Amino acid sequence: ALRDLDVDFVCIGASGVAGYAEQVARLGGKHVRLIDRIDDRELLASAYAGASAFVFPSWTEGAPLAAMEAGAAGVPLVLSEMSSEREYFGDDAAYVHPADLKGIRAAAARLLEYPETPAQRQNRSSRLAGGLSITRHADETWSLYERTIAEPREASSPAPVLMDVSALLHFLPVAHPFTGIPTVEWKVLP
């Protein structure tokens, strides 16, 4: 999607699949830079801060940690419309379908042509760093556990059958075929 843009495309992180990084480099062209996992948190934060954009239109990762880190660093985000990203990032990201190469390219090109001001990046950083904090997440999760335990249930009544179809629900509004988890969820629904 970004091969013909005259900008470095930097991928940071360990490749989980043998040969994947080589395939990305081969298809991506001369501007692809592959960097292994960075454990130094300050160095990683510096890499985010120096980026023109964070482009991660994943098929299945809703609100990935890397997008949260990039957003907290203030980096403009281009994320997937397939999962829960919009729920987490709201207006602080552009959303594209992972298979929409023209859309991915257009979103990235727009950010390169019209870069955000330092104030816009700082505003994103402030909103996302506060809203996506580990402390807030832990407190809200603990509160949910406490409420769940506090609600009495009849010993004779069977436990309810619960099914998480959140991936499927995110796929329904988009006009693209189901893949992966939503396909399984669709098949097990009564």
Side-chain angles (χ1 to χ4, degrees):
L2 307 178
R3 182 176 24 210
D4 66 333
L5 293 178
D6 189 24
V7 63
D8 284 342
F9 179 72
V10 180
C11 299
I12 299 175
S15 174
V17 179
Y20 179 75
E22 292 80 15
Q23 184 76 345
V24 169
R26 186 179 68 75
L27 293 174
K30 65 181 181 180
H31 293 292
V32 171
R33 306 288 179 257
L34 302 175
I35 299 172
D36 204 6
R37 178 181 170 83
I38 297 176
D39 291 320
D40 180 331
R41 304 304 293 164
E42 288 182 21
L43 182 60
L44 182 58
S46 174
Y48 284 130
S52 300
F54 178 83
V55 181
F56 195 70
S58 173
W59 282 97
T60 58
E61 291 191 60
L65 179 58
M68 292 179 187
E69 291 172 337
V75 180
L77 306 168
V78 178
L79 304 174
S80 177
E81 67 181 24
M82 298 300 291
S83 194
S84 58
E85 287 88 334
R86 196 177 303 273
E87 180 181 332
Y88 286 89
F89 300 100
D91 293 336
D92 282 305
Y95 301 94
V96 295
H97 190 277
D100 182 3
L101 299 182
K102 289 179 182 176
I104 294 168
R105 186 200 184 287
R110 199 170 26 257
L111 290 169
L112 293 169
E113 187 173 348
Y114 305 104
E116 290 187 347
T117 66
Q120 288 172 305
R121 289 173 73 118
Q122 181 57 50
N123 287 338
R124 175 181 296 102
S125 175
S126 296
R127 281 189 302 274
L128 294 180
L132 301 174
S133 79
I134 279 288
T135 302
R136 178 178 168 216
H137 174 73
D139 289 346
E140 289 178 6
T141 301
W142 187 257
S143 175
L144 175 63
Y145 288 159
E146 287 178 331
R147 288 192 317 271
T148 301
I149 290 169
E151 293 176 9
R153 196 178 61 136
E154 299 281 330
S156 62
S157 67
V161 175
L162 301 175
M163 178 188 231
D164 178 1
V165 293
S166 55
L168 176 62
L169 293 176
H170 289 289
F171 266 73
L172 291 177
V174 296
H176 298 283
F178 293 162
T179 62
I181 295 168
T183 303
V184 174
E185 290 175 355
W186 182 258
K187 289 181 179 179
V188 297
L189 284 174

